Amino acid sequence: MADSTKRREAESQLDVKQYVSTKEEKPNPFKEHDNILLILALKKIPEKGKKPKKIRLPHSLHSDKVGICLFAKDKNYSEMKTMLKENDVPVNKKKYYSFEAKRNLCALYDVFLCDEAIYHLLPQVLGKTFFSRKKYPVPIDLSESRLSVKQQIAGVIKCSLLLLGHGTCSATKVAHTRQTAEEAVENVVAAVAEITKIVPQGWSNIQSLNLKTTDSVALPIYNSLPDNSSVAETSEPPKKKKKKKEE
């Protein structure tokens, strides 16, 4: 297992270095900032997940000036405002009703959070814009037994998200082209390790893993081989079918 892990890490490094550039290398031929996606293909579709799974990454996909929006219950606004101010989180209450307003909201922020108590209501309220752009609201605990909101936000910023159960293939952001090759490789290796723990049956249920950017072709870093146990072994050559003689 150790050798196979090292091999996968080496393959990841070779592929990722085609996407990102170090200071000594030529300028990046891709966009100024393009996401590197890890494409996960499964053999069997797992049960549909109610919430996106967090994939912890050693290097954040966001800058220090990341824009964050939090969805919360309107009736608890006064309590929420006090709690957020205590955690040095700025508060700006606004309501978005029209489709155009929601689309603008989706483009305005990098990360969306929500009170986990209302997470199940958001897909219908927000519409398809957020989910088609993979800007899933990440649920956080705002109850009295919570960790500090600031700590939870810091944890979310260093995570990517994986949503299972909507088909055999899933795409997860694991790096971007502004990162160095070393940072991108470390993110890819960490993401693969996390995903194998999240996917039911782990490696045995993973068909393939590929890396790609928005406009590039997919580069394979792992492919599952056929199961030899399902093939009957025999030392005899296959028998040829006899042709029927024409009468």
Side-chain angles (χ1 to χ4, degrees), residues 47-143:
E47 292 184 8
K48 189 177 292 187
K50 295 181 180 180
K51 299 177 182 179
K53 304 293 184 181
K54 296 175 185 176
I55 309 294
R56 293 187 296 272
L57 301 174
H59 305 285
S60 176
L61 302 178
H62 307 287
S63 66
D64 296 334
K65 297 181 180 180
V66 57
I68 301 174
C69 177
L70 171 66
F71 299 111
K73 292 181 180 180
D74 191 46
K75 65 178 182 180
N76 295 339
Y77 175 69
S78 58
E79 296 177 13
M80 191 74 61
K81 184 177 179 180
T82 302
M83 182 182 64
L84 292 175
K85 285 187 175 181
E86 289 174 355
N87 284 271
D88 298 323
V89 178
V91 179
N92 185 12
K93 182 182 179 182
K94 289 185 179 180
K95 294 184 178 181
Y96 298 82
Y97 292 106
S98 68
F99 173 80
E100 187 68 24
K102 292 176 183 177
R103 188 171 63 178
N104 292 338
L105 174 64
C106 183
L108 191 59
Y109 295 96
D110 304 298
V111 178
F112 290 90
L113 309 175
C114 71
D115 183 350
E116 63 179 6
I118 63 169
Y119 176 81
H120 63 287
L121 302 173
L122 292 181
Q124 185 176 358
V125 174
L126 296 177
K128 63 180 182 180
T129 301
F130 285 79
F131 295 87
S132 63
R133 295 186 184 182
K134 298 189 181 300
K135 287 193 173 182
Y136 313 114
V138 182
I140 61 174
D141 185 7
L142 299 179
S143 64

Side-chain angles (χ1 to χ4, degrees), residues 62 67-68 81 88 90 100 118 130 141 146 148 161 181-182 189 207 210 214 217 232:
H62 307 287
I68 301 174
K81 184 177 179 180
D88 298 323
E100 187 68 24
I118 63 169
F130 285 79
D141 185 7
R146 64 188 180 275
S148 75
L161 301 176
E182 289 71 22
V189 173
Q207 182 62 49
N210 295 270
T214 308
V217 296

Side-chain angles (χ1 to χ4, degrees), residues 173-191:
K173 297 176 186 177
V174 292
H176 58 73
T177 52
R178 282 183 182 170
Q179 292 178 319
T180 65
E182 289 71 22
E183 289 174 339
V185 168
E186 288 175 7
N187 273 11
V188 171
V189 173

